[in-house]
Amino acid sequence: MTKRRDAALQVVLDHDISQRRACRLVGVDPKTVRRERPPDCAEIRKEMLEIAGKRRRFGYRRIGVLLERKGMTMNHKKLYRIYREEGLSVKRRRGRKRARGTRTPMPIAGQPNARWSLDFVSDSFGASRKLRILAVIDDCTRECLCLVADTSLSGARVARELSALVRIYGKPGCIVSDNGTEFTSRAMLKWADENEVPWHYIDPGKPQQNAFIESFNGSLRDELLNEEIFDTLDDARRKLALWRYDYNAVRPHSSLANQTPQQARRTLEQFEGSAPGALAPDREPEYPNPTCRLSL
């Protein structure tokens, strides 16, 4: 039956005829031909996946040695075929070594300070001078914790801004970012280690894994950066501070049932009971000083 099935499939490939006609010519039931065969060596595949999960840089030869130690021996060609079918091929690393952060799954943002997201946004001011903006948000309440604008933002500067945020909001349960040089610098790794904050890096080229900050960046660009022209750096900082206040205290958010982020934070903190270090009711003045900045 297996030979007839293979013969029917080969006839379809060689002579460009329909599968039904090939089955009639070979004398095999079409249901047999259309049924996909289950993967062979299911037990070996399972063991191979477990080994590759623990030893991500092992190729099929070393995995084969470890399988032999467990009494699973096979031809090296078949081993390589199964290795490729399971998508375990090791990619050659290129470029500099990057920080990988914690391997634990990214925590669910179910309460304030459970998870922060960071990213950079670029713009310009004056005579086409470049401007970079560090944005930090709370993924649970969607609150924008800071918008720091400058012509250059190093890893050490980002670490100082995060220290200021920790003093105001408390320590986050996890921080999520991309693999940018500022976030993978020695200054940032040292800060995360000293403050015992787990850092989760998204996969390169996968911004959807950091969807909250990407959505925020879209709102920031659509509602402010594409609407305003910044004359100077101070002018950009003033307008960013005004927009941040409006975003946190006035603008309704559909994802929060049309509440503001500050209202959402207060609601969650009252529901949880007084959360340690919660300063949301007293954190923002009635109307902030537009020129106020966290730190220099």
Side-chain angles (χ1 to χ4, degrees):
M1 185 61 69
T2 302
K3 291 182 179 180
R4 288 187 179 186
R5 180 182 185 276
D6 294 340
L9 293 174
Q10 192 64 38
V11 169
V12 172
L13 293 175
D14 294 344
H15 300 284
D16 193 23
I17 63 176
S18 68
Q19 192 179 84
R20 184 182 296 274
R21 186 179 178 188
C23 291
R24 285 201 304 267
L25 293 173
V26 176
V28 65
D29 192 330
K31 295 180 181 179
T32 303
V33 176
R34 292 168 186 163
R35 185 177 65 245
E36 294 185 0
R37 289 179 294 181
D40 57 341
C41 307
E43 186 178 356
I44 292 179
R45 290 174 186 266
K46 181 179 178 181
E47 288 292 334
M48 186 180 290
L49 288 172
E50 290 182 1
I51 295 173
K54 297 176 182 177
R55 303 179 181 273
R56 294 180 297 190
R57 302 302 299 174
F58 272 23
Y60 78 97
R61 292 184 179 87
R62 287 188 176 180
I63 291 179
V65 172
L66 295 179
L67 288 174
E68 288 179 2
R69 293 178 181 176
K70 297 184 178 183
M72 300 178 182
T73 306
M74 67 171 60
N75 180 276
H76 71 280
K77 294 181 181 179
K78 185 176 182 180
L79 177 66
Y80 181 68
R81 175 178 63 80
I82 295 176
Y83 178 80
R84 292 294 300 270
E85 289 176 355
E86 294 297 327
L88 301 176
S89 300
V90 178
K91 294 181 180 180
R92 181 178 297 178
R93 288 177 175 168
R94 300 183 181 276
R96 66 182 184 86
K97 182 170 63 176
R98 293 182 180 272
R100 299 192 62 88
T102 177
R103 296 188 183 185
T104 58
M106 188 165 53
I108 298 175
Q111 58 184 1
N113 278 5
R115 195 175 72 209
W116 291 358
S117 293
L118 282 68
D119 201 5
F120 284 105
V121 184
S122 299
D123 206 83
S124 61
F125 68 94
S128 299
R129 291 202 60 187
K130 295 299 181 182
L131 167 73
R132 300 197 76 196
I133 303 167
L134 170 66
V136 183
I137 67 167
D138 188 311
D139 288 352
C140 176
T141 63
R142 312 297 198 273
E143 185 174 3
C144 176
L145 306 182
C146 80
L147 286 174
V148 180
D150 213 328
T151 55
S152 177
L153 292 168
S154 64
R157 173 70 180 280
V158 175
R160 293 203 304 272
E161 298 295 342
L162 288 177
S163 296
L165 290 176
V166 169
R167 289 194 295 270
I168 298 173
Y169 296 90
K171 188 168 66 173
C174 178
I175 291 180
V176 184
S177 75
D178 57 25
N179 290 269
T181 55
E182 297 86 359
F183 300 140
T184 58
S185 64
R186 293 184 181 274
M188 286 310 313
L189 297 177
K190 181 181 179 182
W191 181 90
D193 183 60
E194 290 178 348
N195 290 271
E196 298 180 349
V197 176
W199 200 292
H200 184 91
Y201 293 104
I202 64 174
D203 295 331
K206 296 292 183 65
Q208 62 270 25
Q209 295 180 2
N210 203 5
F212 290 103
I213 194 68
E214 293 295 334
S215 175
F216 172 82
N217 291 346
S219 299
L220 173 62
R221 186 163 297 281
D222 182 57
E223 298 175 14
L224 178 67
L225 302 184
N226 290 346
E227 295 291 322
E228 298 285 347
I229 296 177
F230 304 133
D231 297 325
T232 63
L233 183 59
D234 288 337
D235 180 49
R237 289 168 175 168
R238 181 180 65 84
K239 291 177 179 177
L240 284 167
L242 289 171
W243 185 86
R244 174 175 169 262
Y245 173 79
D246 180 80
Y247 182 88
N248 288 336
V250 180
R251 179 185 185 275
H253 290 247
S254 57
S255 60
L256 301 175
N258 290 325
Q259 294 186 95
T260 66
Q262 289 185 0
Q263 290 173 339
R265 178 182 285 270
R266 285 193 289 267
T267 300
L268 288 170
E269 288 176 350
Q270 290 172 1
F271 178 77
E272 294 289 337
S274 56
L279 302 173
D282 302 321
R283 188 159 44 246
E284 293 281 5
E286 185 176 353
Y287 199 85
N289 181 359
T291 60
C292 178
R293 299 172 58 224
L294 286 173
S295 63
L296 296 175

